[in-house]
Amino acid sequence: MIKEYIENWSGEINTVTIGATLNEGGTRRFSIKVGGEKTLPFLFKENKLPFKPVIAYEVWDIPPSDWPEELIRFYKDVLNDPLAWAEKVVKEYNAELICLKLAGAHPEIGKSPDEIVKLLENILKSLDVPLIIIGCGDDQKDNLILPVCSQITKNQRCLIGEVTQDNYRTLTASVLADGHNIIAQSPIDINIAKQLNILISDMGLPLERIVINPTVGALGYGLEYTYSIMERLRLAGLNGDKVIASPFICFVGQEAWRAKEAKAEDSEFPQWGKASRRGPLWEMITATVLLQAGADILVMRHPEAIRKVKEYIELAYSV
Amino acid sequence: MEKFKVTFYPDNKTVEANRGQTLLSVAISAGIYINSSCGGEGVCGRCKVILKKGDVLTQPTGRLTIEERKKGIYLACLTTVQSDLEIEIPEESRLSFDKLTPQEIELRLRGLYGESEDIPSSDSLLGEVFVHSPLATKLYLELPKPDLNDRISDLERLYREIRKNYDIPIMQTGLANIRRLGEILRSSDWKVTVTLGKRNGTVEVVLIEPYDTSKRNYGLAFDIGTTTICAELIDLNTKKILGTKAIYNKQAVFGPDVITRIIYAQEQDGLEKLHHAVVDGMNQMIQEFVQEQKIDLNDVTCVLCAGNTTMIHLLLKIEPSYIRKEPYVPTANFVPTIRAAEAGIKINPRGLLSCVPGVSSYVGGDTVAGVLSCGLYKEKNLCLLIDIGTNGEIVLGNKDFLVSCAASAGPAFEGSGVSCGMRASSGAIQKVKINPQTYEVEFSTIGSSLARGICGSGYIDILAEMLRAGIIDKSGKIKLKVHPRIRETEYGREFVVAFKEQTSIDSDIIINEADIENLKRAKAAIFSASSILLKHMGVDFKDVKKIFIAGGFGNYLDIKNAKIIGLLPDLEDDKFIFVGNSSLAGARQILLSYPAMQKANELARKITYFELSVDPNYMEEYMAALFFPHTDILRFPNIKNLI
């Protein structure tokens, strides 16, 4: 019989902790650890995978304009109230991690820093799960509001983002001062991913506080390419390159629900089957493939898809 | 077509111009050369002229400030003649040709800048000493007069006498010489000097002169660079170098690099103009040599040229366009020895011109001459030759194998395409130190004159010092925010290297983020080309025992700073050997020795060429090199702690 081959990796993925409990200076009920992998995804026989991948529920500060009915129907009652939205996903859907997207801060919509501060204060008061905070995507505006968010949530050990190679200094300085973690976004490019990690750690932020967003594509929209880039990054990390041995965050919902196959209504393509099944399946399959590629944090939207992916993770980790 | 008179000041030259002709082309027709790094595309903003009188039409450009527009400043390439004009050309817009100081010429031809005197120049230690056997040899003969017992023809009589000296089975002689032979032999009492030229495997009786001129035989070695043309006048009998010269290649006015020139050659009369620009420059150098050395032009019997493939095509007026079209095939890599006059080069009318053979479209005879002169081809250990230029050529190998590639680095290190860049000539900032606490800048210029711009070595120093002082981050973005030397502009942040008072151009000399990006790309192209070549051969930089640095630019380089920015690999300093203008040294060897020419032919055939543009790994390597010093810091273990 052929002996099972075991690879002895020289490196391991950095462990990042999100959320600080009372003991740790924050007010979260628990903290979440991601990363720490000593081998490739799901190779439990080979070495340790100490932490399960986690799923964050996406919550917006304004009603999203491009979410299809299949998503909207779950959040109809809370779309105009981000605090209620956050409460709903925690209390009703048992979310253990919230990803707050501050889309309303975008210059075209123009929510003020004051409104955002108030929202964050309320969320911190009302809820005790760890937080991910994402800016509006406009560099200048993000450089204004994210440092404020960082201050308001000081010592809560949030995961804040995103920074890019062209705009990382302002937020990195805030995150460093306020004890948070950072999301480093690169455009499906291992070199830029690594360069950005070097630039951030050159400013003094430890590598254990960086999560990489490698930028992903949904099923049918570049998922294979995403997979190969994530795999190469992970292999480099396991081979001992500390600089890019960061856990991954993947914005699954955002990508999957952009696909025509996910969001088209029943009447548009009757032969494609029901949107209520098609949409969540699209998000779910994208998520499970990204888990195979090494995703540590999945940011998702559809409660049913999230439930299924959680089941999948539980099942995989129970063997 | 309506004609107008255009007068240029301060030259006070007036020429006729057509309505609609650009000021740039009018200036060229007046023999006035204006800076135009982009080849008249309106991109570089170097061709600023001042309108004194008359009407013009111009196109909008972001390269002029509102203030400049108010002063009547226009870009010559975007502005056309609409009436009689008076135009002033400011100093900074001029291409200063021919005005290299003897000291600069010296630098271009060999050694290093400043503290580098201890590094040997290329011809003293390196390379092979080939048997003395120049391209053209003179032989004095006293022929036995014919009589009834010895009635062979004049020509056979000449051959018989030559063969008493040399074993040459096949000889040829042109009809023009044969026509004159009978008369020359009889009028000079059968005492003649023949010039024997080596032409493509046979020997030609190039020249027959009355009486003994054999002591007077001169040749020229040329290195025809994209930016600079260097030449040596050599006594072919004694092998002595009688003089050296360097001028700027006047083709620069048509574009900074080979690609823009190939494109220009497609325009009407473009090839003709490019050809004349180089030939005129060479003839001018020859004229000066002849006058200075008090020799007769007729005693200059041969010319040997080394240049990249495009330069040789343009010299010989061969259509170059196929060089830049897939699959990148030149018309000729091996050009047979021709009569110099056919190419328009004025030496003895029957004198010869030979070119060092090239490997491919982008690895030319200059590289082959470089390999020959630095002796890379006979090294036991693995060596690398890096010619840092607009088109960076890299050769890896030893006595067993030779591989090469070319990297399109762009002209940033030669001072083009960067906002305050200039060639390494008088007034160029060439050495820079930045105080890491105060960010004060100390610099020295070539010729110790007031600063006019920054040359390649200056840029390398500036980048390395800015990294060390923490003014820029490893991706090249300026991170320092508040300082008198830092300014926000519409092109991003800029850093003032020299304030107005320290310059002769009435404005600050700066480096901005766009410049840094250009320089980063240039260094990434050179480094990644070297590392891809090594990867192809399954070796690593640490396996390389010697690195020869060639090129005009290579003369000024600070090795340590070049390592800090990741242009050169992080190896021990003593592995780097400056070979200066190795192309010219090779051309000289070939001019003086037929075996050297045979060796060059052999090398050109032997060097394997890798086309990087079709290599899937090149882009990946290049992207990884777009960082200071490199994304993979493990490749620069000694630099790690310096920045």
Side-chain angles (χ1 to χ4, degrees), chain B residues 177-195:
Chain B
N177 274 337
I178 298 172
R179 280 182 180 146
R180 294 163 58 229
L181 182 61
E183 171 61 24
I184 290 179
L185 286 175
R186 284 166 186 84
S187 66
S188 61
D189 197 26
W190 303 87
K191 292 173 182 130
V192 289
T193 301
V194 289
T195 303

Side-chain angles (χ1 to χ4, degrees), chain B residues 129-134 235-239 591-595:
Chain B
V129 180
F130 287 100
V131 184
H132 182 219
S133 151
D235 184 327
L236 296 177
N237 291 323
T238 62
K239 301 190 273 184
L591 178 70
L592 284 169
S593 171
Y594 190 62

Side-chain angles (χ1 to χ4, degrees), chain A residues 74 107 143 162 166 173 208-209 240 249 270 280 292 300:
Chain A
F74 292 97
N143 286 344
E162 298 180 281
D166 292 325
E208 292 73 29
R209 285 164 66 182
I249 183 168
Q292 299 291 342
M300 296 179 66

Side-chain angles (χ1 to χ4, degrees), chain B residues 315-332:
Chain B
L315 167 68
L316 302 176
K317 213 162 78 179
I318 300 170
E319 172 62 49
S321 63
Y322 308 109
I323 289 175
R324 64 177 274 269
K325 292 181 187 152
E326 219 189 55
Y328 319 112
V329 176
T331 300

Side-chain angles (χ1 to χ4, degrees), chain B residues 205-393:
Chain B
V205 177
V206 176
L207 203 62
I208 306 159
E209 295 166 296
Y211 306 110
D212 189 359
T213 68
S214 64
K215 296 281 170 291
R216 307 195 305 265
N217 188 20
Y218 307 101
L220 290 151
F222 275 99
D223 164 47
I224 305 171
T226 313
T227 306
T228 317
I229 303 175
C230 299
E232 287 176 343
L233 176 69
I234 293 155
D235 184 327
L236 296 177
N237 291 323
T238 62
K239 301 190 273 184
K240 261 178 72 177
I241 300 168
L242 301 177
T244 54
K245 277 187 193 303
I247 61 162
Y248 288 121
N249 189 338
K250 292 186 184 182
Q251 289 175 343
V253 78
F254 306 112
D257 53 47
V258 295
I259 298 298
T260 47
R261 287 186 209 168
I262 293 171
I263 294 168
Y264 186 79
Q266 309 314 304
E267 289 185 13
Q268 200 190 350
D269 298 332
L271 179 57
E272 191 73 32
K273 284 183 192 163
L274 287 162
H275 169 70
H276 275 290
V278 61
V279 167
D280 289 353
M282 291 168 73
N283 282 334
Q284 178 196 335
M285 293 166 96
I286 297 170
Q287 267 308 318
E288 288 173 15
F289 272 137
V290 165
Q291 281 163 9
E292 285 162 18
Q293 298 298 321
K294 298 190 174 61
I295 59 174
D296 188 336
L297 192 63
N298 280 317
D299 292 329
V300 181
T301 55
C302 54
V303 173
L304 204 296
C305 301
N308 65 49
T309 308
T310 304
M311 287 304 115
I312 297 301
H313 275 59
L314 295 177
L315 167 68
L316 302 176
K317 213 162 78 179
I318 300 170
E319 172 62 49
S321 63
Y322 308 109
I323 289 175
R324 64 177 274 269
K325 292 181 187 152
E326 219 189 55
Y328 319 112
V329 176
T331 300
N333 280 325
F334 290 78
V335 181
T337 299
I338 57 166
R339 235 168 272 295
E342 289 179 77
I345 299 296
K346 290 175 186 152
I347 55 169
N348 184 302
R350 297 191 57 80
L352 302 179
L353 181 145
S354 192
C355 298
V356 185
V359 177
S360 70
S361 278
Y362 296 108
V363 173
D366 49 350
T367 308
V368 172
V371 172
L372 181 82
S373 71
C374 76
L376 177 67
Y377 66 93
K378 56 191 171 105
E379 290 281 344
K380 234 167 69 194
N381 296 313
L382 198 61
C383 298
L384 197 61
L385 169 67
I386 303 179
D387 190 338
I388 302 169
T390 306
N391 187 46
E393 290 109 355

Side-chain angles (χ1 to χ4, degrees), chain A residues 1-192:
Chain A
M1 209 179 105
I2 301 168
K3 213 183 139 199
E4 199 159 359
Y5 181 77
I6 298 288
E7 180 78 49
N8 283 311
W9 301 101
S10 58
E12 67 173 81
I13 304 306
N14 304 323
T15 300
V16 177
T17 308
I18 305 167
T21 59
L22 280 173
N23 290 339
E24 296 161 323
T27 58
R28 305 297 91 195
R29 185 164 46 87
F30 57 92
S31 59
I32 292 172
K33 284 189 194 306
V34 292
E37 292 96 335
K38 291 190 160 93
T39 180
L40 290 168
F42 304 113
L43 293 186
F44 300 104
K45 275 193 182 166
E46 189 166 275
N47 212 328
K48 280 191 184 133
L49 295 155
F51 312 113
K52 288 178 196 169
V54 293
I55 302 176
Y57 269 80
E58 212 172 309
V59 173
W60 285 43
D61 66 337
I62 49 163
S65 58
D66 62 342
W67 286 25
E69 177 55 31
E70 177 53 29
L71 278 176
I72 291 292
R73 69 185 176 99
F74 292 97
Y75 305 110
K76 242 179 192 136
D77 49 335
V78 293
L79 282 177
N80 285 303
D81 184 350
L83 177 63
W85 187 345
E87 285 171 348
K88 177 171 183 164
V89 296
V90 173
K91 287 171 187 160
E92 208 168 302
Y93 300 131
N94 297 319
E96 49 180 350
L97 187 60
I98 288 174
C99 177
L100 181 65
K101 165 108 182 158
L102 299 172
H106 198 276
E108 282 172 17
I109 296 151
K111 271 203 175 182
S112 70
D114 287 349
E115 284 174 272
I116 292 159
V117 166
K118 213 167 152 205
L119 170 64
L120 271 172
E121 281 174 346
N122 288 335
I123 288 178
L124 285 178
K125 238 182 277 168
S126 161
L127 297 171
D128 55 7
V129 295
L131 280 180
I132 302 173
I133 303 168
I134 305 290
C136 65
D138 179 86
D139 281 355
Q140 263 185 325
K141 193 68 190 286
D142 281 348
N143 286 344
L144 269 177
I145 58 154
L146 290 176
V148 177
C149 298
S150 168
Q151 270 170 22
I152 292 297
T153 56
K154 192 176 165 105
N155 297 331
Q156 298 286 4
R157 205 147 61 192
C158 299
L159 177 59
I160 306 184
E162 298 180 281
V163 293
T164 60
Q165 202 177 20
D166 292 325
N167 184 45
Y168 68 93
R169 304 193 60 82
T170 308
L171 185 56
T172 303
S174 293
V175 161
L176 183 60
D178 299 326
H180 300 297
N181 305 296
I182 209 162
I183 302 174
Q185 188 209 81
S186 45
I188 324 185
D189 185 312
I190 59 167
N191 282 305
I192 294 177

Side-chain angles (χ1 to χ4, degrees), chain A residues 165-166 168-169 189-192 194-195 198-199 202 232, chain B residues 473-475 477 479 481 620 623-624 626-627 631-633:
Chain A
Q165 202 177 20
D166 292 325
Y168 68 93
R169 304 193 60 82
D189 185 312
I190 59 167
N191 282 305
I192 294 177
K194 181 167 176 186
Q195 289 167 11
I198 295 173
L199 294 170
D202 273 359
R232 285 176 64 192
Chain B
D473 67 20
K474 286 173 186 158
S475 68
K477 291 279 176 323
K479 59 180 181 184
K481 272 187 181 158
E620 182 80 32
M623 295 301 287
L626 284 175
F627 206 57
T631 307
D632 186 4
I633 188 69

